[in-house]
């Protein structure tokens, strides 16, 4: 039986997480935050004292992740790794950087493939990531590639972190975003790039509502 998968790929801070969740909510679909799986792999590696370049050990960790995503009453998803709440570590800047390092390793990506595909169940799925439209769900009927300038993405991230009470420097955030873009786009395994049949959407200067409406129009056109 087939059912719709909507893939939303793009660089960090492009707003794809927010948009994917809004679209999933609107359609009553499941939601896959694939970045969280790479982030959790990095956190689990740190837990177990595995170096971020020890590919065989990292692939083992990725294949055997004991992780749960719990949606609480107060919104926000709690991430439970081996029984412990690791939401904070997973969402931190370090969590993002380590995710980008482990995500560059082909056997880690391979180990996470089946787990990601298992999210595609009735009535449908919105999948957020870097290679959802190119590798994980190449047959998805709706593919979006969402981007924004590095400066605007850094600005959004900076605001988010300040709101969370973290003390951060804008220049550090911008440098992190640029380093992560470079690593994600230049790696050999599943580099960040739009699928040939993706709708390209540059959200610089667009409101969340505008982007949401553009994605919903693409869905209505293609499904
Ligand atoms: O989307 P998020 O910022 O949580 O992703 C963290 C990192 O995980 C990305 O910078 C990227 O290197 C990696 N990632 C990936 N493939 C995905 C999702 C995330 O390589 N599908």
């Amino acid at each position: 039986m087939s059912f719709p998968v909507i893939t939303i790929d793009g660089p960090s801070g492009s707003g794809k997480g927010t948009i994917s969740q809004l679209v999933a909510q609107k359609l009553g679909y499941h939601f896959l935050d694939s970045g969280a799986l790479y982030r959790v792999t990095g956190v689990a590696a740190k837990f177990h004292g595995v170096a971020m370049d020890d590919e065989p050990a990292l692939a083992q960790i990725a294949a055997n992740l004991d992780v749960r995503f719990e949606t609480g009453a107060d919104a926000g998803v709690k991430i439970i790794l081996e029984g412990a709440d690791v939401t904070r570590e997973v969402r931190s800047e370090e969590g993002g950087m380590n995710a980008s390092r482990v995500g560059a390793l082909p056997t880690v990506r391979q180990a996470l493939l089946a787990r990601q595909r298992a999210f595609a169940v009735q009535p449908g799925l919105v999948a957020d990531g870097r290679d959802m439209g190119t590798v994980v769900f190449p047959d998805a009927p709706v593919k979006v590639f969402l981007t924004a300038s590095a400066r605007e993405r850094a600005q959004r991230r900076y605001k988010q972190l300040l709101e969370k009470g973290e003390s951060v420097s804008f220049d550090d955030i911008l440098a992190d975003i640029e380093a992560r873009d470079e690593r994600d786009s230049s790696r050999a395994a599943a580099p960040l790039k739009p699928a040939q049949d993706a709708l390209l959407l540059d959200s610089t200067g667009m409101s969340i509502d505008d982007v949401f409406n553009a994605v919903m129009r693409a869905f209505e056109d293609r499904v």
Side-chain angles (χ1 to χ4, degrees):
M1 190 180 290
S2 83
F3 39 83
V5 174
I6 302 173
T7 62
I8 305 190
D9 288 306
S12 46
S14 58
K16 61 196 164 51
T18 306
I19 296 298
S20 300
Q21 287 180 69
L22 288 172
V23 172
Q25 229 167 46
K26 172 81 181 172
L27 297 172
Y29 282 10
H30 299 279
F31 168 56
L32 165 61
D33 172 3
S34 62
L37 292 174
Y38 289 93
R39 286 171 180 264
V40 171
T41 302
V43 171
K46 219 176 140 185
F47 252 32
H48 293 288
V50 167
M52 296 299 156
D53 57 359
D54 182 346
E55 184 164 0
L58 290 166
Q60 275 290 324
I61 286 194
N64 297 304
L65 281 181
D66 170 11
V67 64
R68 288 197 318 274
F69 296 91
E70 283 182 0
T71 312
D74 56 342
V77 174
K78 260 197 202 165
I79 304 175
I80 312 293
L81 174 68
E82 297 169 30
D85 184 345
V86 292
T87 315
R88 213 183 157 79
E89 291 90 326
V90 166
R91 295 292 169 213
S92 69
E93 288 302 290
E94 187 193 354
M97 268 300 171
N98 285 337
S100 170
R101 294 184 69 187
V102 303
L105 306 172
T107 55
V108 169
R109 305 199 71 84
Q110 186 59 36
L112 292 176
L113 204 52
R115 194 185 283 262
Q116 294 174 83
R117 289 188 174 145
F119 278 78
V121 289
Q122 293 285 9
L125 174 70
V126 182
D128 156 358
R130 302 292 187 292
D131 61 341
M132 299 295 99
T134 49
V135 176
V136 183
F137 301 108
D139 300 327
V142 186
K143 298 179 184 177
V144 176
F145 192 85
L146 189 60
T147 187
S149 70
R151 187 155 278 278
E152 171 140 346
R153 290 185 282 122
Q155 211 103 49
R156 293 175 186 167
R157 183 80 187 134
Y158 180 62
K159 211 174 133 220
Q160 258 176 11
L161 290 172
L162 284 187
E163 281 164 4
K164 278 204 267 172
E166 293 191 26
S167 76
V168 283
S169 114
F170 175 77
D171 290 342
D172 287 352
I173 302 275
L174 181 58
D176 269 10
I177 283 200
E178 286 174 340
R180 199 124 67 89
D181 281 2
E182 171 59 23
R183 189 181 351 239
D184 291 352
S185 310
S186 62
R187 69 184 177 209
L192 171 66
K193 63 163 195 228
Q196 269 181 351
D197 49 349
L199 166 73
L200 301 183
L201 214 51
D202 183 341
S203 71
T204 311
M206 280 172 88
S207 69
I208 291 177
D209 270 4
D210 291 343
V211 178
F212 171 75
N213 289 331
V215 174
M216 290 305 294
R217 273 197 302 277
F219 172 78
E220 279 148 21
D221 285 351
R222 298 190 190 191
V223 173

